[in-house]
Amino acid sequence: MNISFNKPPYTGNEEQYVLKSMRSDKISGNGEYTQKVEKWFEKELLCKKALLSTSCTHALEMAAILLDIKDGDEVIMPSYTFVSSANAFVLRGAKIVFVDIRPDTMNIDETKIEAAITHKTKVIVPVHYAGIACEMDTIMNIADRHKLFVVEDAAQGMMSTYKGKALGTIGHMGAYSFHETKNYTSAGEGGLLIINDDTFTEKAEIIREKGTNRALFFQGKVDKYSWVNIGSSYLLSDVSAAYLWGQLENTDTINSNRLASWNLYHNGLKELEEKGFFELPKVPAKTVHNGHIFYLKVKDLGTRTEILDYLKVQGINAIFHYVPLHSSEAGRKFARFNGDDIYTTKESNRLLRLPMYYALLKSEIDFVVKAIHDFYTYKEVSK
Ligand SMILES: *Cc1c(COP(=O)(O)O)cnc(C)c1O
């Protein structure tokens, strides 16, 4: 048995669209498939504007430029996240202020945000870890009261909801990732900037087109295009958009398959959770998740190393996840941790992720579940 940790999602529909795009006269950005994909998102997410980008990292960079982040501005986020959530704002000169996470969801602890706000704070970045929603009503209420912007890092959150609203559509902006490790991919790399406040739309298109008003020119709104603002090359190739289109036609299939795998793991492991060996992911009321990650939180770091080694010998590629950013070299330079680190380090040290991807077989999940049972049976016997 050799069970990969991840396989890029692939439904079989992608090829025909990629070929069609390749054989067209326009394979750079903003072609036929880009338009189709962006319209699909605008309709499904009920957002003001959806802009395909070269990655989620770049979508977050666009957000930081749009919000005019400058030297010394402060941005609040959890330390338990991917580097890009922070880096996008650090690139503009911001100082990152980390607050602790909630142990139940590994998401930012919304009750710790207000204490971290200073007169320099401009943005809150909730990260929906594992596609499980942050407590957005509380976060939006804090942002309203302090006149702050909210940029949702919903890289893992496509098809998830909070009180019926799609993740990424609740803050002023949101960002999705179509990297090969996410639930949907645009041929390996790609992202989406979701704009929920229409005042940002025109400027966003300028930033995505190297700081020019080229998009307005093609829409016939200006008679020549020129350099109007800072920007970069953030437009996704139409061939990549074509690949993603093949998956958007199958979102229900992909989503229900992942949820079925997630539920198989959960049912197979809940008995061991009840015995107190580890904790399984918690999904808060009024949120719907997308089966992006299935994790266990075992007793401690030592147990995690033991179980990862044990699974490896069985041919199972389980892995751990983020090293908290505040403990990293760049984190120490560009950020500070506000309040106490009660859960961030402790909970991240004991978290491990099991193989999870579209079309993972039931027989493979059964094998993983049995290996974990065996590991704990052996531990019990040898006590
Ligand atoms: C994957 C991920 C990103 C980065 O996505 P890219 O498309 O690879 O740039 C950012 N934030 C989080 C939380 C992620 O999981």
Side-chain angles (χ1 to χ4, degrees):
M1 203 49 108
N2 181 33
I3 307 176
S4 309
F5 173 72
N6 178 61
K7 285 184 188 172
Y10 176 73
T11 67
N13 265 13
E14 296 83 351
E15 273 170 33
Q16 53 174 318
Y17 301 127
V18 166
L19 277 175
K20 193 160 170 253
S21 172
M22 279 166 60
R23 289 169 183 158
S24 75
D25 298 334
K26 188 161 176 13
I27 60 174
S28 65
N30 242 337
E32 181 193 337
Y33 286 100
T34 307
Q35 312 278 331
K36 270 174 126 87
V37 166
E38 291 180 350
K39 280 210 183 72
W40 187 93
F41 278 110
E42 284 158 15
K43 187 163 155 276
E44 294 292 320
L45 301 179
L46 305 171
C47 63
K48 293 286 182 346
K49 191 77 191 172
L51 293 172
L52 276 175
S53 61
T54 31
S55 63
C56 176
T57 301
H58 282 168
L60 292 167
E61 286 179 24
M62 287 172 67
I65 298 173
L66 275 168
L67 297 178
D68 206 17
I69 298 302
K70 290 195 189 64
D71 253 353
D73 287 345
E74 292 183 352
V75 180
I76 297 173
M77 65 182 68
S79 169
Y80 186 70
T81 184
F82 189 63
V83 290
S84 298
S85 325
N87 201 56
F89 294 91
V90 169
L91 274 171
R92 311 249 62 84
K95 180 101 186 167
I96 306 300
V97 179
F98 295 125
V99 300
D100 210 6
I101 53 168
R102 292 165 42 150
D104 60 342
T105 57
M106 305 298 285
N107 285 335
I108 191 166
D109 184 341
E110 67 281 358
T111 67
K112 305 274 173 69
I113 294 173
E114 212 145 9
I117 296 173
T118 71
H119 64 282
K120 293 178 179 166
T121 309
K122 282 200 82 173
V123 190
I124 305 170
V125 182
V127 181
H128 304 292
Y129 184 69
I132 295 172
C134 296
E135 184 30 54
M136 290 307 292
D137 275 356
T138 309
I139 294 171
M140 293 312 291
N141 180 280
I142 295 169
D144 276 351
R145 282 189 287 108
H146 295 271
K147 300 197 168 42
L148 304 175
F149 292 107
V150 174
V151 176
E152 298 175 68
D153 184 339
Q156 305 172 10
M158 180 166 157
M159 303 295 278
S160 294
T161 57
Y162 171 85
K163 299 189 179 173
K165 289 183 203 154
L167 300 190
T169 68
I170 304 160
H172 298 83
M173 285 173 233
Y176 282 178
S177 171
F178 306 124
H179 186 263
E180 67 163 22
T181 53
K182 301 306 199 291
N183 291 20
Y184 307 88
T185 187
S186 46
E189 303 277 357
L192 186 79
L193 178 66
I194 299 160
I195 295 179
N196 306 312
D197 175 341
D198 217 15
T199 58
F200 293 117
T201 300
E202 196 175 301
K203 197 172 158 201
E205 291 193 80
I206 290 167
I207 291 164
R208 189 172 65 158
E209 279 277 21
K210 300 96 183 165
T212 72
N213 54 5
R214 191 164 183 265
L216 290 178
F217 174 71
F218 283 113
Q219 291 158 21
K221 290 182 187 156
V222 290
D223 57 10
K224 58 181 184 316
Y225 84 83
S226 64
W227 186 22
V228 291
N229 198 349
I230 61 166
S232 192
S233 186
Y234 291 136
L235 197 52
L236 188 73
S237 149
D238 212 57
V239 181
S240 296
Y243 192 102
L244 180 58
W245 181 248
Q247 308 208 330
L248 296 186
E249 288 188 331
N250 285 301
T251 46
D252 291 338
T253 312
I254 294 176
N255 198 48
S256 53
N257 179 275
R258 289 192 82 113
L259 286 172
S261 295
W262 197 97
N263 289 327
L264 282 173
Y265 274 132
H266 199 275
N267 290 334
L269 294 168
K270 65 172 189 261
E271 183 197 324
L272 292 178
E273 182 186 41
E274 281 155 15
K275 286 187 179 164
F277 288 121
F278 47 68
E279 285 160 50
L280 299 177
K282 304 284 173 289
V283 182
K286 297 183 183 159
T287 72
V288 174
H289 75 105
N290 59 4
H292 178 59
I293 292 175
F294 194 90
Y295 65 75
L296 309 180
K297 286 198 288 180
V298 299
K299 189 162 152 273
D300 51 25
L301 184 60
T303 312
R304 181 174 78 179
T305 309
E306 264 181 68
I307 191 166
L308 285 176
D309 289 348
Y310 180 83
L311 295 175
K312 185 117 234 160
V313 173
Q314 313 293 314
I316 299 166
N317 294 287
I319 56 176
F320 53 85
H321 211 180
Y322 307 131
V323 175
L325 297 181
H326 73 284
S327 60
S328 68
E329 191 182 331
R332 287 195 298 270
K333 203 150 123 198
F334 300 119
R336 67 181 163 85
F337 198 103
N338 195 79
D340 295 328
D341 170 10
I342 300 169
Y343 294 114
T344 302
T345 302
K346 182 168 154 257
E347 299 300 297
S348 63
N349 275 339
R350 57 195 202 99
L351 184 144
L352 71 95
R353 302 191 287 163
L354 299 179
M356 180 56 111
Y357 51 85
Y358 170 63
L360 176 63
L361 301 174
K362 180 177 183 298
S363 58
E364 294 173 317
I365 296 170
D366 291 344
F367 185 80
V368 177
V369 167
K370 181 171 183 306
I372 295 169
H373 275 267
D374 290 349
F375 174 83
Y376 281 102
T377 309
Y378 172 75
K379 262 185 101 68
E380 279 289 271
V381 169
S382 63
K383 246 192 215 162

